[in-house]
Amino acid sequence: MKRKMLALFVASTLVGNAFAQEEQAAVTESAATEASADEASSAGLNHWSIALKGGVDYYRWLDKSWNFEGGAVVEYTANPLWGLGLEYLYQMNNHDKGASPEFDGTVHDIDLFASVNISNLLAKYRSEAWQKLNIYANGGAGVSVYSWDVDQKNYKSPEGREDSDWLWLGVASALVEYNFNKNFAVGLEGRAKINNKKDFAPAGAAKANGGANLLFRYKFGGNSNVRNVALVDFEPKVEVPDITPMVEELKKQNDEAAAKMEEQIANQNAAIKKLQEQVKAVQDSLDSHIRNTKEPEKYVPTKEEDEIIKTAFAQLEFETNKAIIKKSSYSSLDGLAMLLKQHNEWSVILKGYTDNSGNAAKNLQLSKDRAASVKSYLASKGVPAGHIQTFGYGSADPVASNATLAGRAKNRRVEIELFSK
């Protein structure tokens, strides 16, 4: 591909030079013809259209909850290939099906997008009947203005919670549109968006959501609207001289030069890659030295943080003689994970212990495995694994007597220590 592009570039340059003098008059006349054709193709055309759309949206954090969305679009179609548009979309995201938490919410999306007519790009010579059906790919950016109102007894406080703010958003959509006539069209759109913040709703909202809409468009100008003009009719008609023999000859002459250039590029890329690896090695070594030489300071949790930590480990249970965490412990560990994710400046040490029943070597390994299981669970919830160290101490340091069942149960535990970096 590189060789073909290089050969075509060189050929075009040489052909221009070869015909520059003896074809000057013809080129001047051709340029005037092209300009006239281009002016004729775009003169008197209307570029504007408006559309109304409505459908459903789906937020994946809403327990498969579908809600209404609807809005309007103003679009300027520059030519049959692409255009620009301004979109407003109202989205409901109510959540009142008995799940936790229950809340009412709305989102107002305002975005500027670019639209590309894929049908004209790939098949501009299709028949007139098929030109009524067009597929568009749209992408853009804007803002989401949201508000929500939580109404749930067990959501942090009895009175619930409210919030409203705005976020940056990115939008992508695919639209299949059919022209009923020169003024009206109907389309089916699949739309996806992503916001720059994860937790703008009380359930820990996902960044992305999708939607599907039915769209009705009005095209100003009717027959003169750009959306009704075929690409082959819009483009100026230019006769291009056949330069295939010259291109082939130049391609043959330039193959060797292109091959040498590719070899030089490959050698340069290899040198750059080696240098990057060396820089990364030095950086990793420096980072490791800084981490190893910095003295960590033990962190004392606040009252609220200490309550979350105590609850997580008080409710932590494993299957008998195994390092498998029981599902009943997940909810309290989720609270601990959320706390740790809010404090990236912490480093964590998890210590596993057992009672003195059974083989000491097996107890030591079990204590290590249980501490590692807690680390794996927290990492699966988004806590950086590099921030957590685990140790196992078997039956060492009992906190109660191993002579009773209750005492042995207390000795089978995992403890946590927090350090500020």
Side-chain angles (χ1 to χ4, degrees):
M1 179 61 71
K2 292 180 181 177
R3 294 182 180 179
K4 290 182 178 179
M5 294 178 65
L6 180 60
L8 183 57
F9 174 75
V10 175
S12 300
T13 303
L14 293 179
V15 169
N17 292 333
F19 290 106
Q21 295 180 347
E22 55 185 75
E23 297 294 332
Q24 185 62 44
V27 169
T28 303
E29 182 181 352
S30 176
T33 303
E34 290 178 17
S36 299
D38 187 63
E39 291 175 2
S41 65
S42 59
L45 293 180
N46 195 301
H47 297 266
W48 294 95
S49 64
I50 58 174
L52 298 176
K53 64 180 180 179
V56 294
D57 64 69
Y58 175 75
Y59 284 76
R60 65 183 178 90
W61 45 269
L62 291 180
D63 299 334
K64 300 182 179 179
S65 177
W66 294 88
N67 288 275
F68 167 78
E69 68 177 17
V73 176
V74 177
E75 190 164 347
Y76 177 86
T77 305
N79 57 51
L81 280 181
W82 70 276
L84 294 174
L86 180 65
E87 175 188 59
Y88 164 77
L89 192 68
Y90 169 84
Q91 294 181 316
M92 295 175 57
N93 55 2
N94 296 339
H95 194 207
D96 52 4
K97 297 183 179 180
S100 175
E102 298 181 357
F103 65 93
D104 296 326
T106 59
V107 179
H108 303 271
D109 286 346
I110 303 172
D111 61 269
L112 184 67
F113 65 91
S115 178
V116 177
N117 189 322
I118 303 299
S119 300
N120 281 342
L121 187 65
L122 300 180
K124 66 179 181 180
Y125 296 107
R126 62 194 190 280
S127 67
E128 183 176 354
W130 279 106
Q131 287 176 359
K132 292 184 177 181
L133 184 67
N134 292 277
I135 301 173
Y136 296 88
N138 304 329
V143 294
S144 291
V145 181
Y146 71 88
S147 63
W148 49 262
D149 183 5
V150 177
D151 183 16
Q152 184 198 18
K153 293 186 293 183
N154 61 354
Y155 181 73
K156 293 189 178 179
S157 61
E159 62 271 21
R161 182 178 168 191
E162 298 180 0
D163 192 18
S164 63
D165 205 343
W166 66 274
L167 307 170
W168 292 110
L169 70 87
V171 179
S173 66
L175 171 65
V176 179
E177 188 172 285
Y178 180 79
N179 296 317
F180 277 116
N181 53 44
K182 300 298 182 180
N183 287 103
F184 294 96
V186 64
L188 183 62
E189 175 193 53
R191 181 179 186 272
K193 76 169 185 177
I194 185 168
N195 292 107
N196 69 325
K197 186 178 179 183
K198 181 178 181 182
D199 53 347
F200 69 89
K207 292 181 180 179
N209 81 301
N213 295 289
L214 189 62
L215 177 144
F216 297 91
R217 183 183 302 276
Y218 176 78
K219 296 169 288 183
F220 294 97
N223 288 333
S224 64
N225 194 283
V226 175
R227 298 178 81 92
N228 295 323
V229 179
L231 182 59
V232 293
D233 297 328
F234 187 88
E235 294 177 338
K237 306 300 185 292
V238 180
E239 300 213 357
V240 180
D242 184 9
I243 60 171
T244 302
M246 296 183 64
V247 171
E248 291 297 327
E249 181 64 25
L250 290 170
K251 178 180 177 296
K252 181 188 294 186
Q253 296 175 7
N254 285 284
D255 276 347
E256 184 177 348
K260 290 181 179 179
M261 185 179 295
E262 289 177 354
E263 183 179 357
Q264 292 175 354
I265 292 173
N267 292 336
Q268 291 175 353
N269 289 339
I272 292 172
K273 183 177 179 181
K274 184 177 180 180
L275 182 59
Q276 290 174 336
E277 292 173 351
Q278 292 172 348
V279 171
K280 185 178 183 303
V282 172
Q283 184 65 51
D284 291 345
S285 177
L286 179 60
D287 292 343
S288 177
H289 175 74
I290 293 173
R291 288 194 301 270
N292 294 335
T293 56
K294 184 178 180 180
E295 188 69 25
E297 297 180 6
K298 194 166 184 179
Y299 177 77
V300 179
T302 65
K303 182 178 179 181
E304 292 78 8
E305 294 167 348
D306 190 54
E307 184 64 28
I308 294 173
I309 294 170
K310 286 181 177 179
T311 300
F313 289 100
Q315 297 180 6
L316 178 60
E317 293 184 350
F318 296 90
E319 293 186 9
T320 304
N321 293 327
K322 296 180 180 179
I324 301 174
I325 301 173
K326 290 186 176 181
K327 292 183 178 180
S328 59
S329 304
Y330 287 175
S331 60
S332 58
L333 286 178
D334 290 344
L336 176 61
M338 183 175 296
L339 175 63
L340 295 178
K341 288 192 291 183
Q342 293 171 354
H343 294 278
N344 283 329
E345 74 278 10
W346 291 352
S347 59
V348 180
I349 292 180
L350 297 174
K351 300 178 178 180
Y353 297 90
T354 67
D355 58 27
N356 65 350
S357 303
N359 182 275
K362 290 183 178 180
N363 285 339
L364 179 61
Q365 186 61 45
L366 181 60
S367 67
K368 294 179 180 180
D369 292 343
R370 286 182 171 178
S373 291
V374 176
K375 174 182 178 178
S376 296
Y377 185 85
L378 294 175
S380 72
K381 295 300 178 179
V383 180
H387 291 186
I388 304 174
Q389 298 184 65
T390 61
F391 300 93
Y393 299 95
S395 60
D397 300 327
V399 295
S401 172
N402 281 308
T404 65
L405 289 175
R408 288 194 295 273
K410 291 182 179 180
N411 291 332
R412 297 190 295 270
R413 68 196 188 278
V414 175
E415 297 179 351
I416 188 172
E417 289 185 356
L418 301 175
F419 296 86
S420 58
K421 297 180 180 179

